[in-house]
Each structure stands twice: as structure tokens, then as C-alpha cells.
Amino acid sequence: MTSRIVAAVHHGTLQFIGVGTPPDEDGSADLQYVLTAARSIGQHMSDYQGIVDTSTVPAGTADRVRAAVQEVLAERGVRVDVAVVSNPEFLKEGAAVEDFMRPDRIIIGADDERARLSMRAIYAPFSRNRDKRLRMDTRSAELTRYAAKAMLATRIRFMNERARLAERVGADIERVRHGIGSDPRIGMHFLYAGTGYGGSCFPKDVKALVRTGHDFGVDLRVLTAVKAANDTQKRVRVDQVVARFGDDLQGRRFAL
Ligand SMILES: NC(=O)C1=CN([C@@H]2O[C@H](COP(=O)(O)OP(=O)(O)OC[C@H]3O[C@@H](n4cnc5c(N)ncnc54)[C@H](O)[C@@H]3O)[C@@H](O)[C@H]2O)C=CC1
Ligand SMILES: O=C(O)[C@H]1O[C@H](OP(=O)(O)OP(=O)(O)OC[C@H]2O[C@@H](n3ccc(=O)[nH]c3=O)[C@H](O)[C@@H]2O)[C@H](O)[C@@H](O)[C@@H]1O
């Protein structure tokens, strides 16, 4: 891994981009770092390259990356082939190495056969137990990342809502979690009620997918409701504390 572009471009025929995609003012993913990295590769490549995007980016970004590189190549008067691959990763903070070494699935979104075969080869050592490599087009790969995240966010939101109801009706949400999670159609993962989803990726990626829906004229009502309800979840904890200890919390300490 390096941030030295010249060394990277001369090292091999696959260039992985994994730079930040923070939320833009309108909630969409800001692609400036991805496109800058892509242009830098275009500045230095003199032979075929496969540019692999592992950043979280909206559907259609691979086409923008390809156009950005081709523009730079045209300015330089260099005629070489370029392929763009979408390779979303599903690493969790704190478990990134383990997630990378033992992935559930390896998504290879490629419209170019040569790049797809190189990607298959590079990921072969991580696919020995069973073949985890899923082949698809770039847009499907890009959307898969957000769709996975949206599904998990929806589960968390769903459980937080059930938790509030459980409290009111005198049920125990932990028992309910066991009760429903043991149905294999539902499963045990991501069913913990809490203060709502947070962290560096969930809030920004849910927002970005809602924005993509808006841009493409599709009203993502479920996800919009998930986002709005999650925003209020932190407040629920505060209300519970106040209900239990009263308005004056001076001098008290709480662990979350
Ligand atoms: N943090 C996480 O757990 C996960 C993050 N992602 C996605 O991966 C992407 C990166 O996320 P993070 O690693 O958390 O971001 P980050 O902001 O911590 O790291 C990005 C790095 O890229 C470098 N960089 C930016 N522009 C560059 C350029 N032109 N050339 C070379 N290096 C450059 C920055 O200096 C920085 O060190 C995002 O799209 C994010 O959504 C995906 C899965 C998990
Ligand atoms: O693409 C990304 O950016 C990554 O985003 C998340 O990874 P991460 O943001 O590190 O966080 P998680 O540990 O998965 O938790 C997300 C949030 O949901 C909350 N959560 C999680 C699980 C649960 O049952 N309930 C719950 O409230 C956590 O407290 C946390 O705030 C996904 O889990 C990764 O698969 C994905 O690759």
C-alpha cells in the first residue's frame, strides 16, 4: 500500500483506489478524492492498467473514473487501454484484517474481461475454502455495497423500534432478539437495539443512498424513514435517563 503514485503505477497492472468519500453538502458521496487519485494514475500510466475502486461510491462512478482517466490520457496524447473495476469491501472497524482475510464474499464488478481475470487471480488465495468471488457489472457492484449497508441499517432501526415497544408492553427485547434471530430467514446478526447506528460509514452511506434515489427519481421511503428515525434514537436514551433519574443529572456518571 502506498500513496506514492509513480511507484504504484509502475508496480503492477492493477491499481487499487481506497480513498475517502465523505458526504457532500447535499448528502451525496463527494467523489473528488477518488477522481483525483484516478487522474493521478492517468498522468503516469504508459501501458494498460486496471483501476480498482474499493471506496464506497454511487452507481455510475466507474464510468466517471474511466472518463477522468481517458481525459488525462488524451491530454497527454497517450493511447492505452484502461479498465475500471468496482470491488466494494465490507470491512468493519476493529475487525478489518479478519474481514479482509476471511471475507464472506468478494465482489468483482468488471465490464472488462482482462481486468476481471486479473481480479480473480489476485483474490484466489482468499477463496480457497470455497469460491467467494462474485462476478457482476460495475453498477451492480457499486449498488451492492450500499444495498447491504441499507439492509443492515434497516434491521438496526427495526430493532430499536421493537425495543421501545417492548419497554412499553413489559417485554424483554433481548429475549425477543433470541426468539426471532433463531429463525434462519432472519439470523442473529445486526439485531442489537441500542443508541442507533453510528460510526464513520453507516450514517454517510445511508444518506448517500437516499440521495442517489432522489437523483434517479426513486423515492426510497423505507430508507428515508430509517434515517430520520435513527437521527432521533440518541434522544431516546437521554429521555430514558431523565425518566429514571430526573432532570437534574449533575454529578452523575453514565457508561454506554
Ligand atoms: N472505515 C471503514 O470501516 C470502511 C470504509 N470504507 C470506505 O473506504 C473508503 C475509505 O475509507 P477510510 O479508509 O475510512 O478513509 P480515510 O479518510 O481514513 O482514509 C483515506 C486515505 O486516503 C488518502 N488519500 C486521499 N487522496 C489520496 C490520493 N489522491 N492519493 C493517495 N492517497 C490519498 C488519505 O490521505 C487517507 O489516508 C471510503 O469510501 C469508505 O466509505 C469501506 C468499508 C469500511
Ligand atoms: O462499508 C463500510 O463502511 C462498513 O460499514 C460497517 O462497518 P462499521 O462502520 O465499522 O461499523 P459496525 O461495527 O458494523 O457497526 C455499525 C454501527 O451500527 C451499530 N449496531 C451494529 C449492530 C447492531 O446489532 N446494532 C447496532 O446498533 C453499531 O453500534 C455501530 O454504530 C459494516 O458493518 C461493514 O460491513 C462495512 O464494510
Side-chain angles (χ1 to χ4, degrees):
M1 194 158 73
T2 179
S3 55
R4 287 166 39 230
I5 300 284
V6 182
V9 172
H10 292 134
H11 180 75
T13 50
L14 287 179
Q15 304 293 322
F16 285 73
I17 298 181
V19 299
T21 45
D24 219 336
E25 278 156 20
D26 60 3
S28 62
D30 180 352
L31 297 179
Q32 62 166 309
Y33 304 103
V34 172
L35 294 173
T36 300
R39 283 193 202 97
S40 306
I41 295 168
Q43 284 294 350
H44 298 286
M45 62 191 268
S46 51
D47 211 341
Y48 164 83
Q49 289 284 359
I51 299 179
V52 185
D53 187 11
T54 66
S55 294
T56 305
V57 293
T61 301
D63 296 334
R64 291 185 61 184
V65 166
R66 189 181 300 105
V69 177
Q70 281 168 342
E71 200 179 295
V72 174
L73 290 172
E75 278 164 21
R76 290 175 55 213
V78 174
R79 287 171 65 92
V80 292
D81 288 339
V82 56
V84 180
V85 178
S86 170
N87 174 216
E89 36 96 333
F90 301 94
L91 315 180
K92 297 184 286 301
E93 283 187 359
V97 175
E98 173 69 13
D99 288 348
F100 181 78
M101 300 298 278
R102 298 177 193 281
D104 301 317
R105 75 291 211 196
I106 297 163
I107 295 192
I108 301 175
D111 304 322
D112 172 274
E113 193 58 10
R114 185 168 161 187
R116 190 182 71 77
L117 291 174
S118 303
M119 290 293 287
R120 275 188 69 75
I122 213 165
Y123 275 114
F126 303 96
S127 224
R128 287 179 65 186
N129 177 268
R130 62 180 167 84
D131 197 350
K132 300 168 184 170
R133 294 163 293 187
L134 298 179
R135 166 192 189 172
M136 54 183 82
D137 59 278
T138 52
R139 285 179 183 231
S140 301
E142 288 163 338
L143 187 57
T144 294
R145 164 84 71 94
Y146 282 102
K149 193 73 66 67
M151 173 70 88
L152 294 173
T154 305
R155 280 169 72 95
I156 295 170
R157 181 57 219 154
F158 178 91
M159 284 309 276
N160 283 328
E161 235 169 59
R162 292 306 80 79
R164 292 198 73 187
L165 188 60
E167 202 177 287
R168 289 285 164 86
V169 304
D172 179 348
I173 190 63
E174 271 302 279
R175 295 198 183 276
V176 175
R177 183 176 67 79
H178 284 135
I180 64 170
S182 43
D183 179 339
R185 290 172 302 177
I186 296 176
M188 284 293 185
H189 295 293
F190 268 71
L191 283 186
Y192 291 94
T195 47
Y197 60 77
S200 61
C201 290
F202 264 74
K204 88 170 165 65
D205 294 343
V206 167
K207 219 189 307 178
L209 187 54
V210 169
R211 184 68 215 182
T212 299
H214 182 266
D215 291 346
F216 284 83
V218 180
D219 188 7
L220 303 181
R221 284 200 223 169
V222 172
L223 204 57
T224 304
V226 164
K227 183 195 164 306
N230 191 69
D231 290 345
T232 62
Q233 186 65 21
K234 294 172 204 84
R235 185 71 221 170
V236 170
R237 252 322 162 252
V238 175
D239 292 344
Q240 286 171 333
V241 169
V242 170
R244 170 76 177 78
F245 296 102
D247 277 336
D248 184 9
L249 300 175
Q250 193 107 30
R252 290 189 185 273
R253 287 184 181 190
F254 297 91
L256 285 177

